[in-house]
Amino acid sequence: MGGQAETGILCKNELAEAIRDGKITTVIIAICDMQGRLMGKRLTAEYFLQNGLEHGTHFCNYLLGTDMEMNTPAGYLHMNWANGYGDWTARPDWSTLRVIPWLEKTAMVLADVVDEKTGELIEIAPRSILKKQIQRAEDMGYRLCMASELEFYLFKDTYEEIHEKGYEAMRPAGHYNEDYNLLQATRNEPVYSKFRNYMTQSGIPIEASKGEAWIGQHEVNIRYADALTSADRHVMFKHGIKEISIQDGYSVTFMAKPDHRWTGSSGHIHVSLWDLEQQQNLFYDAQSELYHMSEKMRHFLGGVMKFTPDFTLFFAPNVNSYKRFAPDSWAPISIVWSRDNRSAGFRIVGDKQNLRFENRITGADINPYLAYAAMIAAGLEGIEQQIEPPAEFKGNAYGAKKVTQIPRYMYEAIDWWSNSETVKKLLGEAVANHYEHTARVEQQAYDRVVTSWERARYFEQG
Protein backbone atom coordinates (compact mmCIF):
# COMPACT_ATOMS: atom_id res chain seq x y z
CA MET A 1 0.00 0.00 0.00
CA GLY A 2 2.82 2.35 -0.81
CA GLY A 3 3.98 4.72 1.91
CA GLN A 4 0.73 4.93 3.81
CA ALA A 5 2.10 2.85 6.73
CA GLU A 6 3.97 5.95 7.86
CA THR A 7 1.42 8.67 7.18
CA GLY A 8 -1.87 6.90 6.59
CA ILE A 9 -2.48 9.09 3.53
CA LEU A 10 -3.32 7.35 0.25
CA CYS A 11 -3.66 8.43 -3.34
CA LYS A 12 -6.42 6.94 -5.50
CA ASN A 13 -4.03 4.58 -7.28
CA GLU A 14 -2.74 3.23 -3.97
CA LEU A 15 -6.32 2.71 -2.81
CA ALA A 16 -7.16 0.76 -5.97
CA GLU A 17 -4.06 -1.40 -5.48
CA ALA A 18 -4.95 -2.01 -1.82
CA ILE A 19 -8.49 -3.02 -2.79
CA ARG A 20 -7.24 -5.47 -5.42
CA ASP A 21 -4.80 -6.94 -2.89
CA GLY A 22 -7.57 -7.38 -0.32
CA LYS A 23 -5.96 -4.97 2.13
CA ILE A 24 -8.94 -2.57 1.96
CA THR A 25 -12.48 -3.96 1.89
CA THR A 26 -14.49 -0.91 3.06
CA VAL A 27 -14.37 2.71 1.92
CA ILE A 28 -16.13 5.41 3.97
CA ILE A 29 -17.29 8.62 2.29
CA ALA A 30 -18.04 11.23 4.96
CA ILE A 31 -19.38 14.77 5.12
CA CYS A 32 -19.46 17.06 8.15
CA ASP A 33 -22.89 18.17 9.37
CA MET A 34 -23.74 21.44 11.14
CA GLN A 35 -23.01 19.98 14.57
CA GLY A 36 -19.49 18.91 13.55
CA ARG A 37 -20.31 15.20 13.21
CA LEU A 38 -19.27 12.92 10.37
CA MET A 39 -22.16 11.50 8.33
CA GLY A 40 -21.89 9.26 5.31
CA LYS A 41 -21.81 5.78 3.83
CA ARG A 42 -19.71 2.67 4.07
CA LEU A 43 -19.14 1.28 0.59
CA THR A 44 -17.84 -2.13 -0.29
CA ALA A 45 -14.41 -1.74 -1.80
CA GLU A 46 -15.35 -3.76 -4.89
CA TYR A 47 -18.29 -1.47 -5.62
CA PHE A 48 -16.08 1.55 -5.04
CA LEU A 49 -13.44 0.19 -7.41
CA GLN A 50 -15.92 -0.71 -10.15
CA ASN A 51 -17.78 2.59 -10.10
CA GLY A 52 -14.88 4.94 -9.41
CA LEU A 53 -17.24 7.39 -7.72
CA GLU A 54 -15.33 10.32 -9.20
CA HIS A 55 -18.43 12.44 -8.77
CA GLY A 56 -19.28 11.12 -5.32
CA THR A 57 -22.37 9.57 -3.79
CA HIS A 58 -25.83 10.90 -3.00
CA PHE A 59 -27.24 11.71 0.41
CA CYS A 60 -30.47 13.27 1.64
CA ASN A 61 -30.09 17.01 2.10
CA TYR A 62 -31.84 16.85 5.46
CA LEU A 63 -28.43 16.05 6.99
CA LEU A 64 -27.71 19.79 6.91
CA GLY A 65 -31.04 20.70 8.45
CA THR A 66 -31.33 18.63 11.62
CA ASP A 67 -30.89 19.27 15.30
CA MET A 68 -28.55 17.30 17.56
CA GLU A 69 -31.06 14.44 17.86
CA MET A 70 -31.54 14.23 14.08
CA ASN A 71 -35.01 15.72 14.20
CA THR A 72 -36.06 17.69 11.09
CA PRO A 73 -37.39 21.03 12.35
CA ALA A 74 -39.44 23.20 10.04
CA GLY A 75 -38.20 26.55 8.82
CA TYR A 76 -35.21 25.66 6.65
CA LEU A 77 -35.17 27.05 3.12
CA HIS A 78 -33.48 24.10 1.40
CA MET A 79 -34.64 21.08 3.32
CA ASN A 80 -38.36 20.68 3.92
CA TRP A 81 -41.32 18.51 2.88
CA ALA A 82 -42.43 21.03 0.26
CA ASN A 83 -39.15 20.43 -1.55
CA GLY A 84 -39.32 16.71 -0.89
CA TYR A 85 -36.04 16.43 1.02
CA GLY A 86 -34.05 15.81 -2.13
CA ASP A 87 -30.47 14.69 -2.70
CA TRP A 88 -27.17 16.50 -2.66
CA THR A 89 -23.87 14.93 -3.63
CA ALA A 90 -20.89 14.12 -1.42
CA ARG A 91 -17.92 14.72 -3.77
CA PRO A 92 -14.69 13.17 -2.41
CA ASP A 93 -11.72 15.41 -1.72
CA TRP A 94 -9.03 12.90 -2.61
CA SER A 95 -6.37 14.77 -0.66
CA THR A 96 -8.12 13.54 2.52
CA LEU A 97 -8.08 9.83 1.58
CA ARG A 98 -6.49 7.78 4.36
CA VAL A 99 -6.31 4.38 6.03
CA ILE A 100 -8.27 4.06 9.29
CA PRO A 101 -6.05 1.78 11.42
CA TRP A 102 -8.56 1.22 14.22
CA LEU A 103 -11.13 -0.22 11.77
CA GLU A 104 -10.45 -3.43 9.90
CA LYS A 105 -9.33 -2.97 6.27
CA THR A 106 -10.99 0.44 6.05
CA ALA A 107 -10.20 3.69 4.26
CA MET A 108 -11.99 7.04 4.59
CA VAL A 109 -12.29 10.09 2.38
CA LEU A 110 -13.91 13.39 3.34
CA ALA A 111 -16.27 14.97 0.85
CA ASP A 112 -17.55 18.38 -0.13
CA VAL A 113 -21.30 18.91 -0.41
CA VAL A 114 -22.19 19.90 -3.97
CA ASP A 115 -25.26 20.41 -6.14
CA GLU A 116 -25.92 17.24 -8.13
CA LYS A 117 -26.61 19.10 -11.39
CA THR A 118 -24.14 21.98 -11.32
CA GLY A 119 -21.35 20.54 -9.20
CA GLU A 120 -21.20 23.83 -7.29
CA LEU A 121 -20.50 23.84 -3.55
CA ILE A 122 -23.61 24.05 -1.36
CA GLU A 123 -22.91 27.32 0.44
CA ILE A 124 -24.46 26.36 3.80
CA ALA A 125 -22.28 23.25 4.22
CA PRO A 126 -19.62 23.78 6.92
CA ARG A 127 -16.69 22.81 4.70
CA SER A 128 -17.99 25.14 1.97
CA ILE A 129 -18.16 28.03 4.43
CA LEU A 130 -14.53 27.56 5.41
CA LYS A 131 -13.37 27.14 1.80
CA LYS A 132 -15.01 30.46 0.90
CA GLN A 133 -13.00 32.28 3.56
CA ILE A 134 -9.79 30.47 2.56
CA GLN A 135 -10.35 31.63 -1.02
CA ARG A 136 -10.90 35.18 0.20
CA ALA A 137 -7.59 35.01 2.04
CA GLU A 138 -5.78 33.67 -1.01
CA ASP A 139 -7.29 36.42 -3.17
CA MET A 140 -5.69 38.87 -0.73
CA GLY A 141 -2.36 37.05 -0.97
CA TYR A 142 -2.52 35.12 2.31
CA ARG A 143 -2.50 31.59 3.63
CA LEU A 144 -3.66 30.66 7.12
CA CYS A 145 -1.91 28.17 9.37
CA MET A 146 -4.15 26.90 12.15
CA ALA A 147 -4.23 24.21 14.81
CA SER A 148 -6.67 22.84 17.37
CA GLU A 149 -6.09 21.87 20.99
CA LEU A 150 -8.92 19.63 22.14
CA GLU A 151 -9.90 18.77 25.70
CA PHE A 152 -12.26 15.94 26.57
CA TYR A 153 -13.38 13.68 29.39
CA LEU A 154 -12.74 9.94 29.40
CA PHE A 155 -15.20 7.66 31.20
CA LYS A 156 -15.00 4.04 32.33
CA ASP A 157 -18.60 3.58 31.18
CA THR A 158 -19.74 2.85 27.64
CA TYR A 159 -22.05 5.28 25.87
CA GLU A 160 -24.86 2.75 26.26
CA GLU A 161 -24.30 2.41 30.01
CA ILE A 162 -24.29 6.18 30.49
CA HIS A 163 -27.47 6.47 28.44
CA GLU A 164 -29.19 3.76 30.49
CA LYS A 165 -28.23 5.61 33.70
CA GLY A 166 -29.85 8.79 32.42
CA TYR A 167 -26.46 10.50 32.13
CA GLU A 168 -26.10 10.42 35.92
CA ALA A 169 -23.47 8.75 38.10
CA MET A 170 -20.94 8.62 35.29
CA ARG A 171 -17.50 7.26 36.19
CA PRO A 172 -14.66 9.55 35.05
CA ALA A 173 -11.48 7.61 34.32
CA GLY A 174 -9.56 8.79 37.36
CA HIS A 175 -10.01 9.87 40.95
CA TYR A 176 -8.09 13.15 41.22
CA ASN A 177 -7.19 16.18 39.13
CA GLU A 178 -4.73 14.93 36.52
CA ASP A 179 -3.44 18.24 35.12
CA TYR A 180 0.06 17.35 33.85
CA ASN A 181 0.05 14.46 36.34
CA LEU A 182 1.94 11.61 34.73
CA LEU A 183 1.04 9.06 37.40
CA GLN A 184 -2.71 9.53 37.01
CA ALA A 185 -2.43 9.64 33.20
CA THR A 186 -0.56 6.33 33.30
CA ARG A 187 -3.72 4.61 34.50
CA ASN A 188 -5.35 5.36 31.15
CA GLU A 189 -2.24 5.32 28.98
CA PRO A 190 -3.36 2.13 27.18
CA VAL A 191 -6.25 4.03 25.64
CA TYR A 192 -4.50 7.42 25.36
CA SER A 193 -1.61 5.80 23.50
CA LYS A 194 -4.11 4.38 21.03
CA PHE A 195 -5.55 7.86 20.51
CA ARG A 196 -2.09 9.29 19.74
CA ASN A 197 -0.69 6.42 17.71
CA TYR A 198 -3.75 5.53 15.67
CA MET A 199 -4.26 9.17 14.76
CA THR A 200 -0.66 9.63 13.67
CA GLN A 201 -0.89 6.40 11.63
CA SER A 202 -3.97 7.78 9.87
CA GLY A 203 -2.25 11.02 8.86
CA ILE A 204 -3.43 13.14 11.78
CA PRO A 205 -0.12 14.03 13.45
CA ILE A 206 -0.39 14.38 17.22
CA GLU A 207 2.17 16.48 19.05
CA ALA A 208 1.34 15.55 22.63
CA SER A 209 -1.31 14.58 25.13
CA LYS A 210 -1.55 15.51 28.79
CA GLY A 211 -3.83 15.39 31.77
CA GLU A 212 -6.13 18.38 32.11
CA ALA A 213 -7.56 20.30 35.02
CA TRP A 214 -10.16 17.86 36.37
CA ILE A 215 -10.76 14.19 37.10
CA GLY A 216 -10.74 12.18 33.89
CA GLN A 217 -10.02 15.21 31.70
CA HIS A 218 -7.32 15.08 29.04
CA GLU A 219 -5.98 17.25 26.22
CA VAL A 220 -4.50 16.42 22.83
CA ASN A 221 -2.57 18.85 20.62
CA ILE A 222 -2.90 18.31 16.87
CA ARG A 223 -0.03 19.47 14.65
CA TYR A 224 -0.67 22.74 12.80
CA ALA A 225 -1.30 22.87 9.04
CA ASP A 226 -3.18 25.00 6.54
CA ALA A 227 -6.68 25.90 7.69
CA LEU A 228 -8.64 23.30 5.70
CA THR A 229 -6.29 20.45 6.57
CA SER A 230 -6.42 21.35 10.26
CA ALA A 231 -10.23 21.48 10.28
CA ASP A 232 -10.34 18.09 8.53
CA ARG A 233 -7.95 16.65 11.12
CA HIS A 234 -10.06 18.12 13.93
CA VAL A 235 -13.34 16.43 12.87
CA MET A 236 -11.64 13.12 12.13
CA PHE A 237 -9.86 13.16 15.49
CA LYS A 238 -13.10 13.68 17.41
CA HIS A 239 -14.89 11.00 15.45
CA GLY A 240 -11.96 8.62 15.64
CA ILE A 241 -11.34 8.63 19.37
CA LYS A 242 -15.05 8.06 19.96
CA GLU A 243 -14.81 4.94 17.79
CA ILE A 244 -11.65 3.77 19.56
CA SER A 245 -13.34 4.32 22.93
CA ILE A 246 -16.35 2.28 21.84
CA GLN A 247 -14.06 -0.61 20.90
CA ASP A 248 -12.35 -0.56 24.32
CA GLY A 249 -15.46 -0.15 26.49
CA TYR A 250 -14.85 3.52 27.30
CA SER A 251 -16.57 6.73 26.25
CA VAL A 252 -15.36 10.28 25.71
CA THR A 253 -17.24 13.56 25.60
CA PHE A 254 -16.33 16.87 24.01
CA MET A 255 -19.28 18.56 25.71
CA ALA A 256 -18.19 22.05 26.78
CA LYS A 257 -19.40 21.65 30.38
CA PRO A 258 -20.42 18.08 31.27
CA ASP A 259 -21.08 19.00 34.91
CA HIS A 260 -21.30 22.40 36.59
CA ARG A 261 -18.76 21.24 39.20
CA TRP A 262 -16.15 20.26 36.63
CA THR A 263 -13.71 22.26 34.56
CA GLY A 264 -15.07 22.93 31.08
CA SER A 265 -13.47 21.43 28.00
CA SER A 266 -11.86 23.90 25.61
CA GLY A 267 -11.14 23.69 21.92
CA HIS A 268 -8.47 26.38 21.60
CA ILE A 269 -7.55 27.52 18.09
CA HIS A 270 -4.10 28.81 17.14
CA VAL A 271 -3.74 30.98 14.03
CA SER A 272 -0.99 32.71 12.05
CA LEU A 273 -0.99 34.46 8.66
CA TRP A 274 1.49 33.54 5.92
CA ASP A 275 2.37 34.47 2.35
CA LEU A 276 1.00 32.25 -0.42
CA GLU A 277 4.17 30.18 -0.53
CA GLN A 278 3.98 29.71 3.26
CA GLN A 279 7.57 30.87 3.58
CA GLN A 280 7.04 33.94 5.78
CA ASN A 281 4.92 34.41 8.88
CA LEU A 282 3.26 37.76 8.22
CA PHE A 283 2.39 38.15 11.90
CA TYR A 284 6.09 38.65 12.71
CA ASP A 285 7.88 42.00 12.46
CA ALA A 286 11.41 42.08 13.88
CA GLN A 287 11.20 45.89 14.19
CA SER A 288 7.98 45.94 16.21
CA GLU A 289 8.44 46.66 19.89
CA LEU A 290 5.06 45.15 20.77
CA TYR A 291 6.07 41.47 21.02
CA HIS A 292 7.23 41.65 17.37
CA MET A 293 3.57 41.85 16.30
CA SER A 294 3.31 43.14 12.73
CA GLU A 295 0.67 45.61 11.60
CA LYS A 296 -1.15 42.75 9.87
CA MET A 297 -1.18 40.77 13.11
CA ARG A 298 -2.56 43.73 15.05
CA HIS A 299 -5.28 44.33 12.48
CA PHE A 300 -6.16 40.63 12.17
CA LEU A 301 -6.42 40.37 15.95
CA GLY A 302 -8.37 43.63 16.06
CA GLY A 303 -10.92 42.26 13.60
CA VAL A 304 -11.34 38.98 15.45
CA MET A 305 -11.80 40.80 18.76
CA LYS A 306 -14.22 43.39 17.39
CA PHE A 307 -16.46 40.82 15.74
CA THR A 308 -16.25 38.03 18.32
CA PRO A 309 -19.70 38.93 19.76
CA ASP A 310 -21.17 38.80 16.23
CA PHE A 311 -19.68 35.36 15.53
CA THR A 312 -20.07 33.80 18.98
CA LEU A 313 -22.59 31.26 17.66
CA PHE A 314 -19.72 29.66 15.74
CA PHE A 315 -17.43 29.80 18.81
CA ALA A 316 -20.06 28.54 21.28
CA PRO A 317 -22.67 26.64 19.22
CA ASN A 318 -24.80 24.97 21.91
CA VAL A 319 -26.79 26.02 24.96
CA ASN A 320 -24.31 24.14 27.11
CA SER A 321 -21.37 26.02 25.57
CA TYR A 322 -22.15 29.14 27.59
CA LYS A 323 -21.96 27.36 30.94
CA ARG A 324 -18.23 26.98 30.34
CA PHE A 325 -17.73 30.77 30.56
CA ALA A 326 -17.25 31.38 34.27
CA PRO A 327 -14.79 33.37 36.42
CA ASP A 328 -11.62 31.57 37.52
CA SER A 329 -12.57 28.56 35.42
CA TRP A 330 -9.75 28.42 32.82
CA ALA A 331 -12.34 29.58 30.27
CA PRO A 332 -12.37 33.32 29.50
CA ILE A 333 -15.23 35.75 30.01
CA SER A 334 -13.63 38.91 28.58
CA ILE A 335 -12.68 39.79 25.01
CA VAL A 336 -9.19 41.04 25.81
CA TRP A 337 -5.71 40.05 24.68
CA SER A 338 -2.51 39.48 26.61
CA ARG A 339 0.90 38.00 26.14
CA ASP A 340 0.89 34.46 27.58
CA ASN A 341 -2.02 35.08 29.95
CA ARG A 342 -4.53 32.26 30.29
CA SER A 343 -7.21 34.46 31.79
CA ALA A 344 -7.56 36.43 28.52
CA GLY A 345 -9.82 35.56 25.61
CA PHE A 346 -6.86 35.84 23.23
CA ARG A 347 -3.30 34.89 24.14
CA ILE A 348 -0.21 35.92 22.17
CA VAL A 349 2.37 33.12 22.09
CA GLY A 350 5.55 32.19 20.21
CA ASP A 351 8.01 34.38 18.34
CA LYS A 352 9.48 34.76 14.85
CA GLN A 353 8.10 32.06 12.54
CA ASN A 354 6.09 30.65 15.46
CA LEU A 355 4.40 33.91 16.46
CA ARG A 356 0.65 33.42 16.61
CA PHE A 357 -2.35 34.01 18.79
CA GLU A 358 -4.62 31.55 20.52
CA ASN A 359 -8.40 31.88 20.65
CA ARG A 360 -9.28 30.61 24.12
CA ILE A 361 -12.99 31.36 23.77
CA THR A 362 -13.78 28.33 21.63
CA GLY A 363 -14.91 25.14 23.38
CA ALA A 364 -14.37 21.49 22.54
CA ASP A 365 -17.90 21.34 21.12
CA ILE A 366 -17.18 23.63 18.15
CA ASN A 367 -17.60 22.67 14.53
CA PRO A 368 -14.04 23.53 13.40
CA TYR A 369 -15.04 24.49 9.86
CA LEU A 370 -17.41 27.12 11.23
CA ALA A 371 -15.15 28.39 14.03
CA TYR A 372 -12.14 28.60 11.72
CA ALA A 373 -14.23 30.38 9.07
CA ALA A 374 -15.46 32.94 11.59
CA MET A 375 -11.92 33.71 12.76
CA ILE A 376 -10.61 34.07 9.22
CA ALA A 377 -13.55 36.20 8.10
CA ALA A 378 -13.25 38.56 11.07
CA GLY A 379 -9.46 38.71 10.86
CA LEU A 380 -9.40 39.55 7.15
CA GLU A 381 -12.03 42.20 7.75
CA GLY A 382 -9.74 43.61 10.43
CA ILE A 383 -6.91 43.85 7.90
CA GLU A 384 -9.12 45.46 5.28
CA GLN A 385 -10.55 47.98 7.74
CA GLN A 386 -7.23 48.41 9.59
CA ILE A 387 -8.89 47.71 12.93
CA GLU A 388 -6.52 48.20 15.84
CA PRO A 389 -7.05 45.98 18.87
CA PRO A 390 -7.47 47.61 22.27
CA ALA A 391 -4.42 47.97 24.47
CA GLU A 392 -3.03 44.79 25.99
CA PHE A 393 -4.77 43.76 29.18
CA LYS A 394 -2.37 42.96 31.99
CA GLY A 395 -3.33 41.12 35.13
CA ASN A 396 -6.30 38.93 35.96
CA ALA A 397 -8.78 39.32 33.09
CA TYR A 398 -11.52 37.73 35.17
CA GLY A 399 -11.62 41.01 37.08
CA ALA A 400 -11.49 43.24 34.00
CA LYS A 401 -13.79 46.26 34.06
CA LYS A 402 -15.14 48.27 31.14
CA VAL A 403 -14.19 45.66 28.54
CA THR A 404 -16.42 43.76 26.13
CA GLN A 405 -17.65 40.50 27.58
CA ILE A 406 -18.34 37.28 25.74
CA PRO A 407 -22.12 36.75 25.39
CA ARG A 408 -23.03 34.71 28.46
CA TYR A 409 -26.14 32.97 27.12
CA MET A 410 -27.09 31.54 23.77
CA TYR A 411 -30.02 33.89 23.30
CA GLU A 412 -27.63 36.84 23.67
CA ALA A 413 -25.36 35.35 21.00
CA ILE A 414 -28.40 34.87 18.74
CA ASP A 415 -29.27 38.56 19.13
CA TRP A 416 -25.71 39.60 18.26
CA TRP A 417 -25.75 37.33 15.21
CA SER A 418 -29.19 38.35 13.93
CA ASN A 419 -28.45 42.07 14.27
CA SER A 420 -24.99 41.83 12.69
CA GLU A 421 -24.54 43.25 9.21
CA THR A 422 -20.97 41.95 9.36
CA VAL A 423 -22.11 38.32 9.62
CA LYS A 424 -24.39 38.75 6.62
CA LYS A 425 -21.70 40.58 4.65
CA LEU A 426 -18.89 38.09 5.30
CA LEU A 427 -20.80 34.79 5.30
CA GLY A 428 -23.69 35.67 3.00
CA GLU A 429 -27.35 36.01 3.92
CA ALA A 430 -28.18 32.38 3.15
CA VAL A 431 -25.56 31.12 5.61
CA ALA A 432 -26.45 33.75 8.21
CA ASN A 433 -30.16 32.88 8.08
CA HIS A 434 -29.57 29.10 8.05
CA TYR A 435 -27.39 29.06 11.15
CA GLU A 436 -29.50 31.62 13.00
CA HIS A 437 -32.46 29.28 12.53
CA THR A 438 -30.37 26.36 13.79
CA ALA A 439 -29.46 28.30 16.93
CA ARG A 440 -33.07 29.32 17.57
CA VAL A 441 -34.20 25.69 17.21
CA GLU A 442 -31.58 24.67 19.78
CA GLN A 443 -32.54 27.42 22.22
CA GLN A 444 -36.25 26.63 21.91
CA ALA A 445 -35.63 22.93 22.49
CA TYR A 446 -33.78 23.74 25.71
CA ASP A 447 -36.40 26.22 26.89
CA ARG A 448 -39.13 23.55 26.70
CA VAL A 449 -37.37 21.04 28.97
CA VAL A 450 -37.93 20.78 32.72
CA THR A 451 -34.65 19.71 34.33
CA SER A 452 -33.92 17.57 37.38
CA TRP A 453 -32.35 20.68 38.96
CA GLU A 454 -35.69 22.49 38.73
CA ARG A 455 -37.59 19.59 40.29
CA ALA A 456 -35.11 19.32 43.16
CA ARG A 457 -35.32 23.06 43.79
CA TYR A 458 -39.03 23.74 43.42
CA PHE A 459 -40.96 20.46 43.83
CA GLU A 460 -41.51 20.84 47.56
CA GLN A 461 -40.38 24.37 48.35
CA GLY A 462 -41.88 26.20 45.36
Side-chain angles (χ1 to χ4, degrees):
M1 290 166 60
Q4 88 284 355
E6 291 182 3
T7 67
I9 301 299
L10 293 171
C11 69
K12 286 190 291 183
N13 289 338
E14 289 173 325
L15 175 62
E17 178 186 345
I19 291 172
R20 285 191 289 266
D21 291 344
K23 295 177 180 178
I24 294 293
T25 58
T26 301
V27 179
I28 298 171
I29 298 181
I31 65 164
C32 181
D33 72 358
M34 295 191 297
Q35 289 78 19
R37 301 171 296 189
L38 291 184
M39 301 288 172
K41 297 179 180 179
R42 284 181 165 88
L43 307 177
T44 62
E46 189 64 27
Y47 173 80
F48 187 92
L49 191 62
Q50 291 175 355
N51 291 273
L53 296 178
E54 290 294 329
H55 303 292
T57 186
H58 299 103
F59 70 93
C60 179
N61 69 10
Y62 96 103
L63 288 179
L64 293 180
T66 68
D67 65 9
M68 190 67 76
E69 296 176 326
M70 300 298 290
N71 297 311
T72 53
Y76 284 111
L77 177 63
H78 298 280
M79 51 289 294
N80 53 63
W81 287 117
N83 290 334
Y85 285 108
D87 278 347
W88 281 334
T89 298
R91 182 174 65 199
D93 179 343
W94 295 108
S95 69
T96 70
L97 180 64
R98 65 194 67 228
V99 173
I100 303 300
W102 59 90
L103 297 177
E104 184 178 3
K105 297 184 178 182
T106 298
M108 175 187 284
V109 63
L110 295 180
D112 286 312
V113 180
V114 302
D115 184 275
E116 181 180 11
K117 295 179 180 178
T118 68
E120 295 295 317
L121 291 174
I122 298 297
E123 64 178 327
I124 62 168
R127 206 166 187 263
S128 301
I129 293 169
L130 176 55
K131 292 179 85 169
K132 177 181 176 181
Q133 297 306 319
I134 291 171
Q135 186 60 57
R136 180 185 172 207
E138 292 183 356
D139 291 344
M140 295 171 66
Y142 307 134
R143 289 273 170 86
L144 279 300
C145 281
M146 304 182 80
S148 296
E149 296 177 356
L150 285 167
E151 298 169 3
F152 55 89
Y153 279 88
L154 179 71
F155 296 92
K156 292 186 285 187
D157 311 279
T158 66
Y159 286 113
E160 291 79 8
E161 289 167 343
I162 289 175
H163 178 74
E164 289 168 2
K165 292 191 292 186
Y167 299 90
E168 300 287 347
M170 299 177 289
R171 297 184 299 154
H175 59 281
Y176 54 83
N177 184 324
E178 67 176 81
D179 200 14
Y180 291 95
N181 192 303
L182 292 174
L183 181 62
Q184 171 54 40
T186 297
R187 291 183 167 92
N188 299 306
E189 176 60 9
V191 68
Y192 291 147
S193 65
K194 285 186 178 181
F195 293 168
R196 295 191 307 271
N197 296 330
Y198 276 152
M199 289 298 147
T200 299
Q201 291 168 26
S202 66
I204 303 170
I206 302 301
E207 293 184 341
S209 70
K210 61 173 280 292
E212 257 303 320
W214 200 252
I215 300 168
Q217 192 181 33
H218 216 70
E219 177 187 86
V220 168
N221 304 115
I222 305 173
R223 178 73 173 170
Y224 77 90
D226 65 273
L228 186 61
T229 299
S230 284
D232 290 340
R233 290 173 177 176
H234 180 130
V235 294
M236 286 187 284
F237 173 83
K238 286 181 68 172
H239 181 85
I241 73 166
K242 289 178 182 180
E243 290 188 332
I244 296 165
S245 298
I246 288 170
Q247 293 172 347
D248 284 1
Y250 290 86
S251 60
V252 296
T253 184
F254 293 90
M255 190 175 176
K257 193 78 167 179
D259 189 291
H260 64 275
R261 297 164 294 185
W262 303 354
T263 302
S265 288
S266 300
H268 299 152
I269 300 171
H270 290 249
V271 62
S272 56
L273 188 74
W274 294 69
D275 60 0
L276 289 177
E277 291 74 32
Q278 290 186 222
Q279 297 297 310
Q280 182 180 0
N281 181 357
L282 301 179
F283 275 2
Y284 175 71
D285 179 358
Q287 306 305 313
S288 170
E289 296 182 0
L290 186 64
Y291 307 125
H292 295 154
M293 293 169 60
S294 68
E295 182 179 75
K296 283 187 173 63
M297 183 174 185
R298 295 199 320 271
H299 292 162
F300 194 99
L301 176 61
V304 173
M305 291 181 67
K306 179 176 180 179
F307 299 118
T308 283
D310 301 58
F311 284 107
T312 299
L313 284 182
F314 277 3
F315 297 155
N318 305 309
V319 170
N320 178 260
S321 308
Y322 298 82
K323 297 187 177 181
R324 176 174 154 266
F325 302 131
D328 306 323
S329 67
W330 300 104
I333 60 174
S334 299
I335 303 174
V336 298
W337 73 272
S338 295
R339 173 74 188 187
D340 197 18
N341 180 344
R342 284 181 168 84
S343 68
F346 298 95
R347 184 171 74 118
I348 309 302
V349 291
D351 194 19
K352 298 182 180 178
Q353 293 292 80
N354 292 320
L355 183 62
R356 62 198 186 276
F357 73 83
E358 174 190 39
N359 183 345
R360 296 181 59 79
I361 294 169
T362 43
D365 57 346
I366 56 170
N367 181 325
Y369 298 110
L370 302 181
Y372 281 24
M375 284 185 67
I376 296 169
L380 295 179
E381 192 71 1
I383 290 176
E384 289 192 336
Q385 295 186 22
Q386 298 186 325
I387 299 172
E388 290 287 347
E392 179 186 11
F393 184 88
K394 296 186 178 182
N396 181 0
Y398 290 118
K401 306 294 184 183
K402 297 181 180 179
V403 299
T404 304
Q405 301 284 306
I406 300 164
R408 295 300 302 278
Y409 306 97
M410 191 170 194
Y411 60 79
E412 289 183 9
I414 293 172
D415 286 344
W416 272 99
W417 180 282
S418 64
N419 293 321
S420 173
E421 292 303 316
T422 300
V423 168
K424 298 181 181 69
K425 170 188 172 185
L426 299 182
L427 300 183
E429 292 219 13
V431 171
N433 293 338
H434 190 84
Y435 284 88
E436 178 184 337
H437 183 64
T438 298
R440 291 191 186 279
V441 166
E442 187 73 6
Q443 183 69 61
Q444 290 163 7
Y446 174 78
D447 290 343
R448 288 193 295 266
V449 173
V450 177
T451 66
S452 58
W453 181 88
E454 291 170 279
R455 283 190 289 271
R457 191 172 184 88
Y458 304 120
F459 188 89
E460 180 177 349
Q461 303 294 335

